[in-house]
Amino acid sequence: MLLKLTREGLGRLIVFGDWVSRPRPVKRSARAQESVNEAAAALSLYQFHACPFCVKVRRNIHKLNIPIELRDAQGDTPFRQELEAQGGRVKVPCLRIEEEGEVRWLYESDDINVYLHQRFSGI
Ligand SMILES: N[C@@H](CCC(=O)N[C@@H](CS)C(=O)NCC(=O)O)C(=O)O
């Protein structure tokens, strides 16, 4: 119980720290941003609000200015069940990627950030 509270408190502190120190999002031409927005429609991030690994990925998403849908998988939610049933396990963050009719579930915050950088930082 105490451990859970400490973890939750620390998570919230990290969320606050992120909020006060967020980097500015990149600016693109309207056309480039539109193409990013279109690509982002095929992505969604399964996450917990106060998870430090999720904060790391959300920070990157914010900086790269990608409108990715965030899906809260904490508690007994449909998104949690979806993550477990289709992704294979409840671990966040996890990026759901739809590609040519196929769905891929990418776990690990570092791998997600590398993927997003490779795909969006040059646009
Ligand atoms: N190495 C992973 C660590 C992710 C991790 O430990 N996530 C925790 C939340 S902070 C989790 O999903 N735990 C499973 C659970 O709480 O059910 C990463 O960098 O993404």
Side-chain angles (χ1 to χ4, degrees):
M1 181 69 180
L2 186 65
L3 187 68
K4 198 177 168 215
L5 278 175
T6 311
R7 211 185 305 136
E8 187 65 17
L10 269 175
R12 284 180 192 282
L13 246 163
I14 290 169
V15 168
F16 179 72
D18 168 49
W19 181 70
V20 293
S21 68
R22 280 206 150 175
R24 276 169 200 253
V26 292
K27 274 203 185 282
R28 304 181 172 91
S29 67
R31 186 182 249 186
Q33 187 61 47
E34 201 166 307
S35 109
V36 168
N37 296 352
E38 270 169 32
L43 305 174
S44 45
L45 186 77
Y46 288 69
Q47 52 113 40
F48 297 168
H49 179 66
C51 154
F53 305 98
C54 302
V55 170
K56 184 171 81 176
V57 172
R58 292 205 302 266
R59 201 173 166 83
N60 191 33
I61 287 172
H62 174 80
K63 188 169 160 206
L64 290 170
N65 203 355
I66 321 164
I68 294 179
E69 182 191 340
L70 301 180
R71 297 184 169 176
D72 201 326
Q74 200 146 24
D76 189 17
T77 61
F79 287 141
R80 187 185 184 97
Q81 288 160 18
E82 212 169 89
L83 178 62
E84 185 165 28
Q86 295 173 36
R89 63 197 154 130
V90 177
K91 191 159 194 193
V92 291
C94 179
L95 187 69
R96 181 182 186 275
I97 307 166
E98 266 183 56
E99 282 169 332
E100 293 156 16
E102 302 264 301
V103 174
R104 189 150 74 90
W105 298 81
L106 182 62
Y107 287 90
E108 288 302 319
S109 52
D110 285 342
D111 294 346
I112 296 170
N113 278 349
V114 166
Y115 172 85
L116 294 174
H117 258 285
Q118 283 174 349
R119 211 167 151 196
F120 294 103
S121 65
I123 306 180

